[in-house]
Amino acid sequence: MPSTPDTALSDDAARPSRREQILRAAAQLFAERGARAVGVDDVGAAVGVTGPAIYRHFASKDAMLAEMLLRISERLLAGSAEVVAAAGDDAAGQLRALIAFQVEFALDNPALITVQDRDLGVLSEPDARRVRQLQRRYVEEWVGVLARLHPGASTAACRARAHALFGLINSTPHSAGRLARPAMARLLTGMAEAAATAPVS
Amino acid sequence: MPSTPDTALSDDAARPSRREQILRAAAQLFAERGARAVGVDDVGAAVGVTGPAIYRHFASKDAMLAEMLLRISERLLAGSAEVVAAAGDDAAGQLRALIAFQVEFALDNPALITVQDRDLGVLSEPDARRVRQLQRRYVEEWVGVLARLHPGASTAACRARAHALFGLINSTPHSAGRLARPAMARLLTGMAEAAATAPVS
DNA sequence: CCCCGATGTGAACAGCGGTTAACCTCAGCG
DNA sequence: CGCTGAGGTTAACCGCTGTTCACATCGGGG
């Protein structure tokens, strides 16, 4: 299926073509109430259309969620690879770059963060597998950097550390907007760098 | 309603009375698939009965979830208060105590951690309100300690820091069992203490 | 001018899952 | 021995929600 060139090119960049509006609105709703709890009618209403109209743009409700999660994972993976490459050979610099990248993403898209780790389970097994694979590769990006920073640590320890750092940074949906964004960014960055470099006793 | 002394006393401590078995099994299933995705029949099957048998022990499926989440919140709040009191007046000592407590809980109950922050939204509004109130008081326990440790920081900053620490420690469900428990405990504790005391730039 | 594809609508369908109802079993006890 | 209440079972009900269907609308070529 290398055809259907419409999904990738004409829609993404230009105006927020209905299809894009729907995805955005759905992300918001899914984050607030959980994917299973929002009806097709709710998503439709959010963009000023009735429920069944959705099916002119997506094969099913699950397909919407799948596309949403796949996009996030791909974006994170691509972004991290780029950012690490741009940081040169210094492991400490790469770590700072990864942290800055993840902090920015988490502050920009708290809704997507929420959906991604709450609703992965509602995907069909094949879709879930693809998302998990992308996530795994993203994690490995971090693990590689952490391993160079902690030469004595096992891979398992580095992986656990990476997950802990994600948990730390991805706490943005829980501490919504109380703190101004620059202050929040500085706080999370500082905490993450401290936690990432803390020696294991 | 000071009657019905059965729920509180005879059931909790002694043998895991059916009712308790159900709660435990449900917690496990809810954590794996999400509360909405688990059928009453699934919960029944997990303890060797049919679905409707559940209604001999709980008023509804939502009541199960509500009791589950309320218990967790109460347990955390009570535990943290106790642990802080036992740590004396030293803010640094109180922080270490809170971290140790949360790490232990997160390692013992990854399933409960998952359910608590994924399925809060399916509770009825009154139940959800009660759970949130308990959670808020738990957070304030941390905020108080963090505020004494960072005299210059705003309350909002301390609250954000607390949430970030929860995210860090509660990452246990994501890094399941790859690392031996003592190593995991040391890692999380070390990271949390570093993140908690990191100065804001 | 007419046809057509894209987009939307309202109504109807269908399956799933929580809940209820009616009935069974059986241990304990007066 | 017979009653009773706790705990189960099966079958049925019913509302909700994803999905489909048949039909409008309408802008833009041919």
Side-chain angles (χ1 to χ4, degrees), chain A residues 81-126:
Chain A
E82 179 186 350
V83 136
V84 164
D89 249 4
D90 176 29
Q94 292 176 342
L95 174 69
R96 276 194 303 274
L98 281 178
I99 289 175
F101 172 69
Q102 179 75 27
V103 165
E104 195 177 344
F105 183 88
L107 285 172
D108 283 341
N109 313 282
L112 295 184
I113 297 273
T114 300
V115 175
Q116 175 145 66
D117 78 30
R118 188 197 21 222
D119 295 322
L120 215 186
V122 333
L123 256 51
S124 69
E125 200 41 49

Side-chain angles (χ1 to χ4, degrees), chain B residues 18 50 52 56-57:
Chain B
R18 197 39 57 102
T50 59
R56 297 292 171 192
H57 304 276

Side-chain angles (χ1 to χ4, degrees), chain B residues 9 17 46 103:
Chain B
L9 288 164
S17 70
V103 166

Side-chain angles (χ1 to χ4, degrees), chain A residues 8-171:
Chain A
L9 287 165
S10 51
D11 278 345
D12 269 27
R15 61 290 156 89
S17 69
R18 195 40 55 103
R19 196 185 148 88
E20 225 50 38
Q21 294 180 33
I22 294 177
L23 269 181
R24 269 199 262 281
Q28 193 60 39
L29 290 173
F30 286 2
E32 285 165 7
R33 306 182 219 162
R36 266 194 128 91
V38 331
V40 180
D41 291 353
D42 300 328
V43 178
V47 296
V49 180
T50 60
I54 302 278
Y55 292 87
R56 298 292 172 193
H57 304 275
F58 294 91
S60 71
K61 185 184 157 189
D62 289 340
M64 282 184 39
L65 184 61
E67 179 163 341
M68 208 160 111
L69 296 192
L70 279 172
R71 273 201 204 178
I72 304 171
S73 308
E74 282 161 0
R75 206 161 115 204
L76 283 174
L77 180 55
S80 70
E82 179 186 350
V83 136
V84 164
D89 249 4
D90 176 29
Q94 292 176 342
L95 174 69
R96 276 194 303 274
L98 281 178
I99 289 175
F101 172 69
Q102 179 75 27
V103 165
E104 195 177 344
F105 183 88
L107 285 172
D108 283 341
N109 313 282
L112 295 184
I113 297 273
T114 300
V115 175
Q116 175 145 66
D117 78 30
R118 188 197 21 222
D119 295 322
L120 215 186
V122 333
L123 256 51
S124 69
E125 200 41 49
D127 284 333
R129 213 188 316 280
R130 284 168 58 194
V131 172
R132 273 196 296 262
Q133 189 185 331
L134 290 167
Q135 289 180 339
R136 208 166 359 232
R137 284 167 56 194
Y138 181 66
V139 175
E140 291 314 311
E141 200 87 46
W142 284 69
V143 172
V145 173
L146 287 170
R148 287 179 55 200
L149 231 64
H150 299 277
S154 70
T155 303
C158 290
R159 195 167 287 119
R161 194 186 283 259
H163 283 294
L165 291 172
F166 295 152
L168 189 165
I169 298 174
N170 292 348
S171 65

